[in-house]
Amino acid sequence: MDKLEGHWAKRTILEPDTGNAYNKYFYKRKPADRVVVDTPKANVLAGYTLIEKDLRSALIWMRHIKELLSDDPNFTDPKGHIKATYDRDRFNIVKGLFVASLTFYGKSFATCEGRRVKLEKKNLDEEFHEEHDNAMEFRHNFAAHSGAKQLERASVVLAIDKKRRELPYFVRELIQPDTLSTHDLDDFIKLFEHARTFTENKIRTLAEKVYKEDVLAKGPEYWYAKT
């Protein structure tokens, strides 16, 4: 059981047959009723809550990339130059985390089913606009669609012996952004932190308004009648 404020606590229940999860609440260890506040402002608040979780996940994964690469001598570069790692097993994990992080960051700025809100570029301070565009370009062209920017590409080529003594070597090339720089990672982390701070401030402001205007204004009896 997870302790909440005062005498309140909650327990998350996972149904093994259906996979559905829900919370049960307790007051002084006694079961309490659960009523959903289904007002327009409450739905927006719920949307920002989902966005904050996505941004938190994106930050966790991007920071973990730094940890994974911090002790790789082929990657570590105090000047922040672009480097490649030759530890393919490690970089395959890095690539998965990088794609997941960019995808979840981008999702926060996209219209998603079940959410009543999304972030906008204008919500970010102007100093972060260029880095936001960079992150979205990676997300659209590499993580999501492999689009016109050709951040990943494949070619069919021949390698030809200059003295023409051997038959041409036939090979397929797959080029993906298997290089990163510490500067890139740090800039993405700062961007994600900034977006998350904006979202957390929105949540605090909205939570106060929902509790005051949608809950307290209707009085306890209104909510008791819904149990």
Side-chain angles (χ1 to χ4, degrees):
M1 190 177 297
D2 299 324
K3 179 119 175 95
L4 302 174
E5 295 179 5
H7 297 290
W8 290 96
K10 75 177 175 79
R11 177 182 295 144
T12 300
I13 308 297
L14 177 63
E15 296 178 342
D17 295 333
T18 65
N20 291 331
Y22 58 92
N23 289 330
K24 280 189 174 182
Y25 293 89
F26 301 84
Y27 181 73
K28 293 185 177 180
R29 296 189 172 274
K30 302 289 185 182
D33 292 316
R34 175 181 176 273
V35 177
V36 175
V37 182
D38 188 19
T39 64
K41 286 196 294 291
N43 290 331
V44 171
L45 176 58
Y48 276 116
T49 301
L50 291 171
I51 289 173
E52 189 280 326
K53 179 60 173 67
D54 282 349
L55 292 172
R56 190 168 6 126
S57 295
L59 267 169
I60 289 170
W61 295 327
M62 197 64 73
R63 286 168 178 159
H64 192 46
I65 290 173
K66 281 197 68 174
E67 293 175 7
L68 285 171
L69 295 177
S70 63
D71 61 349
D72 185 339
N74 293 311
F75 175 81
T76 304
D77 183 359
K79 294 183 179 180
H81 294 156
I82 295 174
K83 300 289 289 292
T85 178
Y86 298 97
D87 183 343
R88 302 313 308 158
D89 289 340
R90 188 194 305 233
F91 206 87
N92 282 335
I93 296 172
V94 165
K95 187 185 296 183
L97 292 171
F98 189 63
V99 169
S101 186
L102 290 173
T103 300
F104 271 51
Y105 176 79
K107 188 168 70 164
S108 301
F109 291 82
T111 301
C112 296
E113 186 176 353
R115 297 188 185 182
R116 307 294 178 91
V117 68
K118 64 185 180 74
L119 297 187
E120 303 286 351
K121 179 180 173 179
K122 65 183 180 181
N123 297 143
L124 306 175
D125 290 348
E126 191 171 349
E127 64 184 285
F128 290 95
H129 285 189
E130 183 177 351
E131 195 58 37
H132 168 79
D133 291 340
N134 188 30
M136 297 300 282
E137 182 175 80
F138 265 98
R139 188 251 179 186
H140 291 319
N141 292 287
F142 173 53
H145 306 303
S146 186
K149 291 295 183 180
Q150 297 256 311
L151 293 174
E152 62 173 354
R153 63 188 185 276
S155 302
V156 177
V157 304
L158 293 175
I160 299 175
D161 171 27
K162 286 186 178 294
K163 294 186 177 181
R164 310 306 195 251
R165 293 175 300 188
E166 296 284 340
L167 288 174
Y169 184 72
F170 180 77
V171 65
R172 292 168 292 118
E173 291 180 344
L174 175 62
I175 305 298
Q176 289 183 321
D178 281 6
T179 55
L180 289 171
S181 74
T182 52
H183 180 73
D184 287 335
L185 296 177
D186 288 338
D187 282 351
F188 280 139
I189 288 171
K190 291 174 184 175
L191 171 67
F192 295 178
E193 288 174 338
H194 178 65
R196 186 181 174 206
T197 296
F198 171 84
T199 306
E200 288 175 327
N201 290 337
K202 273 286 189 182
I203 287 172
R204 278 192 291 270
T205 301
L206 266 172
E208 291 176 4
K209 287 178 68 69
V210 170
Y211 189 61
K212 180 179 179 180
E213 299 174 11
D214 293 351
V215 176
L216 292 182
K218 293 179 179 178
E221 296 301 326
Y222 174 87
W223 299 105
Y224 295 158
K226 289 184 172 291
T227 60

